[in-house]
């Protein structure tokens, strides 16, 4: 039975399942810290929110990709993925702090696409840095 759990198809399904659950949890946390309802805004056609949320989805997935490729246990992969998410969340607050001339959340909610694009690119770019540093 031990060989069953180490089969590549089973391992892939396990990693996939865990990452999907983590993605849902992490996106829910992002939903709590933003001043708008992500999915409601996206449903209403807000491109800026879609870009910012898409960047977060890509960023989280990219961090987990690195974590999966660098670790051989599910628990270790989850731990590094959680740590990477915390860093990405921290970057979100730093971005808000470094733009004192305007509120990032308000601009994204108002569909300011320039701010939405920068937010997306920050999430994606930093996910590469975080992923590269996962050992």
């Amino acid at each position: 039975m031990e060989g069953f759990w180490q089969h590549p198809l089973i391992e892939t399904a396990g990693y996939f399942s865990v990452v999907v659950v983590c993605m849902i949890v992490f996106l829910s946390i992002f939903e709590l810290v933003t001043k708008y309802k992500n999915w409601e805004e996206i449903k209403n056609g807000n491109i800026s929110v879609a870009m910012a949320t898409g960047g977060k989805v890509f960023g989280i997935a990219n961090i987990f990709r690195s974590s999966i490729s660098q670790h051989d246990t599910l628990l270790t992969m989850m731990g590094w993925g959680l740590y990477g998410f915390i860093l990405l969340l921290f970057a979100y607050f730093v971005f808000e702090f470094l733009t004192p001339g305007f509120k990032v959340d308000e601009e994204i909610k108002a569909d300011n696409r320039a701010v939405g694009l920068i937010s997306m690119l920050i999430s994606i770019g930093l996910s590469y840095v975080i992923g590269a540093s996962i050992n």
Side-chain angles (χ1 to χ4, degrees), residues 27-28 31 37-44 49 53 57:
L27 287 174
S28 297
E31 180 92 18
K37 301 291 181 199
N38 292 314
W39 303 110
E40 189 176 305
E41 290 291 330
I42 290 169
K43 179 182 163 197
N44 292 331
V49 172
T53 303
V57 169

Side-chain angles (χ1 to χ4, degrees), residues 19 42 90 107 109 123 131:
V19 170
I42 290 169
F90 177 72
E107 293 298 321
K109 184 177 181 179
S123 293

Side-chain angles (χ1 to χ4, degrees), residues 34-104:
T34 57
K35 294 180 176 47
Y36 50 84
K37 301 291 181 199
N38 292 314
W39 303 110
E40 189 176 305
E41 290 291 330
I42 290 169
K43 179 182 163 197
N44 292 331
N46 189 322
I47 300 296
S48 298
V49 172
M51 286 190 292
T53 303
K56 292 169 187 155
V57 169
F58 185 97
I60 293 167
N62 193 35
I63 289 167
F64 273 107
R65 179 200 59 77
S66 296
S67 183
I68 290 168
S69 70
Q70 295 295 318
H71 298 95
D72 55 359
T73 69
L74 197 60
L75 192 58
T76 306
M77 179 274 297
M78 288 173 55
W80 280 105
L82 174 63
Y83 183 65
F85 166 73
I86 290 168
L87 291 175
L88 206 57
L89 185 62
F90 177 72
Y92 167 81
F93 289 115
V94 169
F95 178 39
E96 185 75 58
F97 177 75
L98 292 177
T99 54
F102 61 90
K103 301 247 184 251
V104 172

Side-chain angles (χ1 to χ4, degrees), residues 50-56 95 115-125:
M51 286 190 292
T53 303
K56 292 169 187 155
F95 178 39
V115 176
L117 177 65
I118 289 295
S119 178
M120 177 183 75
L121 293 174
I122 287 172
S123 293
I124 291 171

